[in-house]
Each structure stands twice: as structure tokens, then as C-alpha cells.
Amino acid sequence: MIRFSDKQLKIPKLMRPVYLVTAGMSKFDRAFPETRTEELCIDALTAASDFVGMTPAELKKYIHTCYYGHFADHFGDQLLGEAVIHDRLGLDPLGNIGVKTGGATGGSAMWEAVKAVASGYSDCALALGWERMDEVPTDEGNHLISCAADKDWETPLGHIYTGYYAVMAQRYWKVFGKEQDSFRKTMAEIAVKNRGYARMNPHAHGPMKITVEDVTNSPIVAYPLRVLDCCLMSVGSACGVVCDEKTAYEITDKPLRIYIAAGSHTLRVADRRDMTIPLLPNETPGQYDDIGKKFPGGDRYPGFSSFLAARVAAYYAYHMSGVVDPSEDLDVVELHDAFTISDIQTYEDIGIRPYGEGRDYIESGDAYVINPLTKKPGKLPSNPCGGLIGCMHAVGATGLMQIAEIGYHIWNRWDEIHEPEEKWKAFGREKPKDWTSLQVKGAKRGLAISHAGVGSHVTCTILMDPNKLIKED
Amino acid sequence: MPKTNEEKGFVDIINGRYKPNGKFHIIEANQPIFNKDTGKLAGVTNPRDMTYIHSYGGEAIFFESLGKGKLMATRCDNDKCEAKGSIFEPFRIFCPDCLRKATVVDITEKAQQMAKIHSFIITHRSGAFNTLPKPIKFINVEFDEEVVTILMSVLSVGEPEIGKRVVPIFRTKDPTYTIMDLMFVVEGTPESDLPEGFTY
């Protein structure tokens, strides 16, 4: 599809307000050789029930349908893995379904849960995701991931997904980054920021105190991407519970309004045809007429340098929720930083910066909890949990972890999740002596982007304090 | 260790049905996994050797043509479709807009004369089952304005650079009937430098 019809551009409508009432997550790590997946999922659901002062049994009594995000059946060698987890969570005989949209699986599971509540089918729905990527040797794992590319046209070429993905990074690096050392440094700053933030997160799999030089000197994976530019491959689980208004206030006195939308684009980057840039509410017609002059080679849209699915998901979600300018209307974001360069691409796709100017979001200091230039709070902090680079990428759980993290900021309970000494000890991790709260002060609205691979699926979730809505129902 | 012919599985189609013959899986016992620190059982390995059977359907002509030195694509010829005249490479059986069956066209000459690198990446990593020599030079190939897509392939000879002219080569000797029968080399590469089994 290259031209959108009015019907396709219709702004999605939830038939009644939907609220996030709680969220939870397990510890994340590269491997759990002595832990079954169900144990991690139970940890996540138990954390969610603890968060609203209930026992798991009490919270489960509200749940009516379940949406499970688990991407890679072949990693776990278990078809119908959702049925296994559903049974172990003790949620039979409720209806449940598995959702699989690559890296966007967690966000997509939430998309389904929200629609179930909005439609009236359920008053309370569970979205829970997990991934198990540690139970095959790494090279076989790389092959299994490469099966998410086209099996006839791409997978035989090296059986390495990075190769299919990094060509996009290369194009962005050459056209928009102009191969500048300063752009390379900006990419590295993202890795330093996110791995550094992960140090304050006991759940995080990849915390590191590093410098720009550490990143730019780390081994090359696929130039210009180096090891420290890349996200983690993790194991773990996360969940969220959504409800209609009446049920939400039975569970908590502080539910958050949730809006969510999804977009898609071709599985093969090869199939992407040219189109006009769809504009977000903070952009104006003609704004990109000279983009090819400013950035020679950058006039092909979405080409290899933009993610149409992210733009479309943001387009729907912004119009649903009333967001006009994310930098002005939102307080915190969790983005899908699979790679430092794709993080920059996403800033543009979702309108934090115009196309071609994504790097400024980092360089201005706006993306930090505390702006390193002004020493004041950043305008729109991104990924205080550490993101996929520092916290985790347990595929089916990632989007749900991001939503949970945004929720913790708006609930003003981020410290309660990340600070307790006993949690650090229980996870077998040492709390840094310089542990610092990354609670975004006064956060009332936030956004999470859940993104699949080369951009085949993207969801955009927006959470708001119900007293700080932008748009009337 | 590559399998001998006696250890391989083969498939024919007879009377419209798959007829497998040969060996399709070799059974190997599982092994226990112990924690060396505690001495306790943690799990088991589950080794498995399987062969999938896969239909190319309407794309079969593309993969068969590679071994004959031809690069086939498809074109939408539907007068009522906005995409009419668009050539698709990767080959699409149906036009993605009108969903009418597209016309198979030979773009070998176009590729020889017009192909250039849109983007590329060099990686020293690969997954299990990879047969390409490393480092692997992935390239994305653009043709001309008629071809509305950008084909992913591998640069076999030469150094990749955005905008550089490349030429397709084909595994015409002992083709594998997979996308591995198509690669590219930089323009001007002598035939003697092509990898074993490949020709222009």
C-alpha cells in the first residue's frame, strides 16, 4: 500500500476509556539456566499484584481475558507456549490468545488487551509477555532470529539478522549522519546514557558505566554499529493489566488512561516503495520539500532511513490522545533503542525532531533525565530504565516493560520499583553506591514505542494521568 | 561434517503429492545438564535434525531462472491499477496494490546495465548454517525508476560503496535453486575472478 485512503487514515476510536491499573516485571538476564519460563512470568504477575496491594489470587479474580506476547516458539521448542503459561498462572478457563509481532510483540499484546476492554468484551484484561532466548547456542539463536526475515530471499544470506537490519543504519549514517565524527559521537552518547541509566535499575541485564570512547572502540558488529551500540538479548517477563473505568477504580485509586495504536510496513526492506511523508500534528505541508537538498539521497521516503510503521503508529496515537507535539505534551518516553542509530531514526519518525534532525534530541540534552548541558531536568527524558541497550530485550516482554516503566514515572513510584536494597539482593545484584533516582519529577504523560525488526510492526502507547488528559472524550 | 547422499532426504512430486525418500532425521539421544558448582540436575539437551519441505509456488520460475543466468522479476500490467508499470524485484507473484497476478519479466539486461548499490553493510558475524565466506558484504541493489523496490543480495567481488555500479552473477554450475545462486560483483570484474560455479 503506497497511498492511504481516508478510511485507512481514520483515527482509531476506543469505544470507552481504558486504564492501566498495574504492571510488573521479572528480573532480566542473558540466561536463567535453573529457572523455567513460567517462574519468570509468575514473578511478573506477582509484582503487578503487589503493586496494587493485592495477592495474585485477588488480582486474578478481576481478569477476564489474557493476551500473551511470546515471539519465538522455535527458541523454546514449545508450540502453544501461551497455553503452558496460562495454565501455570492459574488463569484457566479464561479465553487467551498468543500475539507474535517480532520485537513489537509486547506492545501488540497490550494493543489487543486494550481493544478487548474498549469494546466491552472484557472489563479487565491481562497483557503478559516473555521470551526465552538462552536455550540454544548463540549461532543457532542467530539463525533462529534470521528466520524473522524472508526465508527465501534473506535468511540464506548469512543467517544473520543484523546484516538485513544494519543496511538501514548504514544508509542513515551516510545520508543523514554524513559520516561525521560528531554524529558517531552522538550515537555513542545514547549507549553511554542508556547503559548508565540501567545501573540504577535492579531488573536491568546490561548496566555499564562507560564512555563515548568505550563505545567507539568496542568491536565492530556491522560498521558503523559496534557491540556497545547494540541492544541486549535477554530473558524475562513483564505484564500490564488494563480495565474499564469502573473496574479500574475498584483496583486502584490511581489508574492511568491508556491509548495505543499500531502501524506496519514490509517484512523485507527490499519491498519499500517511495511515498510522500505522512505528516504528524506538529509538522506542516511542504516542510520536507527540500530534504533531498539538505541531505542528498534523503528524498526517498521511507527508504532505508525511516520507519513508516512508527510514523503511522504515532499518527494514530497522537490524534487519539490529542498529542500535538511530543516534546511539549509528554514528560517521558521509552523508545525501542535496538541500536543507537535506530533510536535516532525513531526520534524523527515520532516527531520529537523533524526528519534529518534526530541527533539534536541527544545533542541538546533534552533526552536526559538531567540535561548534561544545563544541569536542569531534560525536556523529554528517554529510556530512564536503560532501554533495550541497557535494561533488556526479552522480545515478547520488551514493549510491556516499557509501558510499565512509563507507568511507574506517572504514578510517581519509580523509586519504589528501582531503589529497595532487598530487591537488588534478591536479584543477586549489587546496588551502586552512587545509586540515583531517575524518577521524572511531575511526570503526567508518557509514551512507549514497541518496534519489530526492520520495522514490520510498531505500536505507540500513550499513558496519561486521567486528570491531565489533553483531549476530552 | 557434510552428510553423505545416503544420509540425505530427497523429495519428488508424484501425482500432485510430495514423495519423500532417503533419511529425514537422525535420532540422537538427549544429554543431562548439571550445574558444575552444585552437582544438581538443571535440565537436558534436546538434539534434533530435521529437513523442512518448502514450496516456491509462483516464485519457482525466479529461482529456476537463476541457474540459467537470468534475473526474473514481475510487473503489474493491470490498466486499472495505480501501480501499473511498476516492476517488483524481489519478485512478487501478485501486485501488492490490485492483487492481480503480475507479469513475469526478464530484467537481466536492465540489471547488467543499471544496477547500483543503494546501501550496504559488512559483517564478520553469521548464524548457524551460514555458507557464505566472511566477512559478508550485504548490498541493497537499486535498478531504475521502473523497478520500485531495492533488492537485497551479496557482493561477491569488490568493495561496496553507495552508488557504485554492480553486475549480477549467477551460479550456473550446480545451482542450489536458492537465492544463493544470485550474487553481484563490482562492474568490470573479470570473469576469471568470479567465485567457483558462477558466470555473468
Side-chain angles (χ1 to χ4, degrees), chain A residues 1-3 33-34 77 138-143 150-154 156-160 162-172 174-175 219-225 227 266 268-274 297 300 303-304, chain B residues 35 38 40-42 46 48 54-56 59 62-63 82-83 86 88-92 96-97 117-132 136 138 140 142 147-154 162 178-180:
Chain A
M1 185 176 68
I2 193 163
R3 292 188 193 196
E34 296 181 87
D77 196 21
T138 300
D139 66 337
E140 291 182 19
N142 281 331
H143 160 70
D150 187 297
K151 71 186 226 178
D152 289 328
W153 292 77
E154 295 171 325
L157 304 175
H159 300 256
I160 182 82
T162 314
Y164 323 138
Y165 189 100
V167 290
M168 302 177 73
Q170 178 78 264
R171 183 80 189 176
Y172 189 94
K174 300 266 187 191
V175 172
I220 290 176
V221 174
Y223 186 84
L225 299 174
V227 165
T266 58
R268 293 184 298 220
V269 184
D271 291 312
R272 292 181 183 173
R273 292 180 283 163
D274 283 5
R300 188 167 184 144
F304 277 35
Chain B
N35 182 325
T38 65
K40 291 183 177 173
L41 179 71
N46 286 317
R48 197 165 304 132
H54 171 49
S55 171
Y56 278 144
E59 290 186 8
F62 171 85
F63 292 101
E82 287 183 4
S86 297
F88 302 104
E89 187 70 289
F91 186 108
R92 297 182 78 110
D97 287 352
I117 295 175
H118 181 75
S119 191
F120 69 91
I121 204 77
I122 301 172
T123 181
H124 290 259
R125 300 186 179 211
S126 68
F129 313 115
N130 170 53
T131 55
L132 288 170
I136 303 169
F138 288 106
N140 307 89
E142 57 182 70
V147 182
V148 296
T149 49
I150 299 172
L151 177 70
M152 172 166 275
S153 190
V154 168
I162 288 179
T178 70
I179 197 67
M180 302 288 280

Side-chain angles (χ1 to χ4, degrees), chain A residues 434-465:
Chain A
D434 59 348
W435 187 90
T436 307
S437 170
L438 297 176
Q439 166 73 48
V440 175
K441 305 276 190 308
K444 301 296 180 193
R445 305 184 195 119
L447 167 151
I449 292 291
S450 187
H451 177 127
V454 294
S456 61
H457 305 73
V458 175
T459 64
C460 177
T461 303
I462 294 174
L463 296 177
M464 291 188 189
D465 179 324

Side-chain angles (χ1 to χ4, degrees), chain A residues 92-112:
Chain A
D92 289 318
L94 303 179
N96 72 85
I97 192 165
V99 178
K100 299 181 191 310
T101 58
T105 295
S108 299
M110 181 57 82
W111 187 45
E112 290 305 308

Side-chain angles (χ1 to χ4, degrees), chain A residues 114-412:
Chain A
V114 167
K115 288 186 292 181
V117 172
S119 71
Y121 187 97
S122 293
D123 291 337
C124 179
L126 169 69
L128 184 141
W130 66 89
E131 209 65 53
R132 187 92 220 192
M133 306 185 92
D134 58 337
E135 297 198 317
V136 292
T138 300
D139 66 337
E140 291 182 19
N142 281 331
H143 160 70
L144 292 175
I145 293 169
S146 79
C147 294
D150 187 297
K151 71 186 226 178
D152 289 328
W153 292 77
E154 295 171 325
T155 306
L157 304 175
H159 300 256
I160 182 82
Y161 197 86
T162 314
Y164 323 138
Y165 189 100
V167 290
M168 302 177 73
Q170 178 78 264
R171 183 80 189 176
Y172 189 94
W173 160 247
K174 300 266 187 191
V175 172
F176 292 100
K178 300 183 176 178
E179 300 182 83
Q180 293 170 347
D181 288 344
S182 59
F183 184 78
R184 176 55 266 196
K185 179 171 175 289
T186 300
M187 288 166 59
E189 294 279 11
I190 296 169
V192 173
K193 172 175 80 74
N194 293 359
R195 289 177 195 276
Y197 285 167
R199 294 180 60 243
M200 310 306 158
N201 183 355
H203 296 265
H205 157 196
M208 289 178 85
K209 192 171 186 175
I210 53 172
T211 64
V212 164
E213 289 69 35
D214 291 331
V215 180
T216 55
N217 291 329
S218 64
I220 290 176
V221 174
Y223 186 84
L225 299 174
R226 294 171 181 269
V227 165
L228 291 175
D229 285 301
C230 303
C231 69
L232 303 158
M233 184 190 276
S234 315
V235 179
S237 175
C239 72
V241 177
V242 289
C243 301
D244 71 316
E245 189 165 290
K246 178 174 176 295
T247 311
Y249 282 98
E250 287 176 23
I251 294 174
T252 174
D253 57 359
K254 287 187 178 172
L256 304 179
R257 276 294 290 273
I258 182 168
Y259 307 87
I260 184 167
S264 69
H265 205 197
T266 58
L267 178 71
R268 293 184 298 220
V269 184
D271 291 312
R272 292 181 183 173
R273 292 180 283 163
D274 283 5
M275 62 182 299
T276 307
I277 299 176
L279 299 179
L280 294 179
N282 63 342
E283 296 173 327
T284 52
Q287 178 174 344
Y288 295 116
D289 287 353
D290 63 346
I291 195 164
K293 279 188 187 166
K294 283 203 263 184
F295 302 99
D299 46 1
R300 188 167 184 144
Y301 182 85
F304 277 35
S305 49
S306 303
F307 297 112
L308 175 64
R311 169 125 304 211
V312 170
Y315 169 87
Y316 289 137
Y318 289 176
H319 284 287
M320 286 170 82
S321 62
V323 168
V324 174
D325 183 341
S327 294
E328 298 297 332
D329 296 333
L330 303 174
D331 302 306
V332 56
V333 295
E334 284 287 345
L335 306 179
H336 189 96
D337 53 332
F339 301 97
T340 52
I341 205 162
S342 64
D343 205 42
I344 296 175
Q345 291 168 281
T346 301
Y347 308 155
E348 302 172 2
D349 293 320
I350 66 169
I352 292 175
R353 288 293 189 277
Y355 278 117
E357 298 175 29
R359 59 188 288 179
D360 180 67
Y361 180 45
I362 294 296
E363 292 167 0
S364 65
D366 285 356
Y368 291 77
V369 175
I370 298 296
N371 184 324
L373 303 177
T374 65
K375 311 300 179 196
K376 293 178 179 174
K379 191 173 180 67
L380 182 64
S382 78
N383 297 16
C385 74
L388 282 68
I389 286 176
C391 177
M392 67 82 140
H393 190 21
V395 181
T398 304
L400 292 161
M401 176 278 289
Q402 295 171 302
I403 292 169
E405 285 284 338
I406 293 294
Y408 298 142
H409 285 287
I410 303 176
W411 278 311
N412 195 27

